[in-house]
Amino acid sequence: MAVRIDGKAVSAAVRARLKAETEEFTRETGVVPGLAVVIVGSDPASQVYVRNKKKACEELGFYSEGYDLPEETTEEELLSLVKRLNEDGRIHGILVQLPLPAHIDENRVIRAIRPDKDVDAFHAENVGHIMTGDYRFLPCTPAGVMELLHAAGVPVEGRECVVVGRSNIVGKPMAMLLLHENGTVTLCHSRTKNLPEVCRRADILVAAVGRAKFITADMVKPGAAVIDVGINRTADKKLCGDVDYDAVEPVAGYITPVPGGVGPMTITMLMKNTLSAARAFAAETGKHASCGGASGKKD
């Protein structure tokens, strides 16, 4: 029977550490980490996610701004808001919630965010830094996966690692983070031949394909660590992941549930990135407690 990796517990421990670090940082520099979250349209899942981000900011003592824009917001209006946030000294992290309405070019919006405020790490400059290993931020979901592996004591170095899914948000950066820790990585996708056979080689199997219960027991090596990034709904509207949990759990050595696995880590890692961005801002501007950096005034 697999060890269940509890994302809620790991997230709570990381947040407790971040809260203490934030208090010390603000006390020493006068800078309050600031996050701006922008949502366009009324997607219910995005609305819930944004509310959870605001709650996380309050919990950790961050300054936050939320922008809930109507569906008909134009691309130029959104870019104008991003420009203003780029120039706002109170804001150290900017997150534009994806997906955006079809009439807005997501890539153009991502490119408009200052790389040093791109706490989602989607900007091409930050993606390049992740490739070379000299990154300032890590994408939140893959970074959360690594935290879970570390917390569970699952070693990466020298292990066979298989990532199922090649998205820019999860699959590709996930492969790079495993590679940076000396895992031997295979990145799979819809055209991978003999996918079950490839998956069965994995000591660490990360499922990020977006298909309910796609990973079945016959695709898992006995004793493997199985990390489920997926969030799906079954025909009867129940939440489930990309892994058939009930079937895989007796085979795996470690497994993450859905919900309560990777999900809680994503927002926590966003908070970690925002604190990192605030630290970089304080270092660059020479902020200290007497500078009034927490006053809310723009630089």
Side-chain angles (χ1 to χ4, degrees):
M1 184 174 291
V3 174
R4 183 176 180 271
I5 305 176
D6 187 342
K8 290 182 179 179
V10 176
S11 173
V14 175
R15 288 196 191 190
R17 186 169 70 244
L18 290 175
K19 183 174 183 179
E21 291 178 3
T22 299
E23 290 172 351
E24 181 180 5
F25 168 71
T26 298
R27 185 169 59 249
E28 291 179 351
T29 66
V31 175
V32 177
L35 174 67
V37 178
V38 182
I39 183 171
V40 183
S42 55
D43 178 70
S46 293
Q47 294 280 354
V48 171
Y49 196 43
V50 168
R51 285 199 298 272
N52 288 339
K53 289 170 182 173
K54 183 177 180 181
K55 286 173 61 178
C57 285
E58 292 172 353
E59 176 187 341
L60 299 186
F62 286 15
Y63 170 71
S64 68
E65 292 184 2
Y67 296 86
D68 194 348
L69 306 181
E71 184 87 17
E72 59 271 18
T73 299
T74 67
E75 185 174 300
E76 293 308 317
E77 288 172 334
L78 179 55
L79 290 171
S80 178
L81 173 59
V82 168
K83 183 176 185 295
R84 180 168 69 77
L85 294 172
N86 279 339
E87 297 168 352
D88 190 336
R90 298 170 301 179
I91 300 299
H92 309 107
I94 301 170
L95 185 147
V96 177
Q97 186 69 36
L98 304 180
L100 290 169
H103 65 278
I104 297 178
D105 183 343
E106 288 185 358
N107 289 327
R108 189 180 178 201
V109 173
I110 291 169
R111 289 195 302 268
I113 299 171
R114 271 176 47 172
D116 60 338
K117 294 191 176 189
D118 168 41
V119 286
D120 254 339
F122 291 165
H123 191 287
E125 181 177 318
N126 286 328
V127 172
H129 283 299
I130 293 163
M131 287 289 291
T132 58
D134 64 339
Y135 42 79
R136 55 165 72 91
F137 308 124
L138 293 175
C140 300
T141 298
V145 170
M146 298 307 293
E147 285 280 350
L148 291 176
L149 291 172
H150 297 156
V154 176
V156 176
E157 184 169 350
R159 298 298 183 94
E160 289 277 352
C161 307
V162 173
V163 180
V164 185
R166 56 176 169 178
S167 72
N168 292 332
I169 294 174
V170 179
K172 291 177 184 176
M174 187 75 255
M176 292 309 304
L177 298 195
L178 291 165
L179 187 62
H180 288 324
E181 294 201 12
N182 299 316
T184 300
V185 183
T186 301
L187 182 60
C188 298
H189 46 79
S190 59
R191 298 189 183 182
T192 299
K193 294 182 179 180
N194 303 317
L195 180 61
E197 180 183 331
V198 175
C199 290
R200 280 195 297 272
R201 298 203 306 259
D203 300 304
I204 298 171
L205 177 61
V206 181
V209 71
R211 293 175 61 181
K213 301 185 178 182
F214 180 77
I215 301 295
T216 52
D218 64 316
M219 301 171 73
V220 176
K221 177 181 180 179
V226 181
I227 308 297
D228 192 349
V229 179
I231 301 177
N232 311 287
R233 297 257 178 206
T234 60
D236 57 358
K237 305 299 182 183
K238 290 184 178 179
L239 202 63
C240 70
D242 289 352
V243 175
D244 186 346
Y245 185 94
D246 290 340
V248 169
E249 192 267 345
V251 180
Y254 298 84
I255 193 168
T256 60
V258 175
V262 175
M265 297 301 301
T266 299
I267 293 177
T268 297
M269 302 316 291
L270 173 67
M271 299 297 109
K272 182 177 181 179
N273 284 352
T274 302
L275 177 57
S276 295
R279 289 187 192 279
F281 166 81
E284 182 179 341
T285 58
K287 290 287 184 181
H288 52 82
S290 63
C291 287
S295 67
K297 293 182 180 179
K298 295 183 181 180
D299 290 344

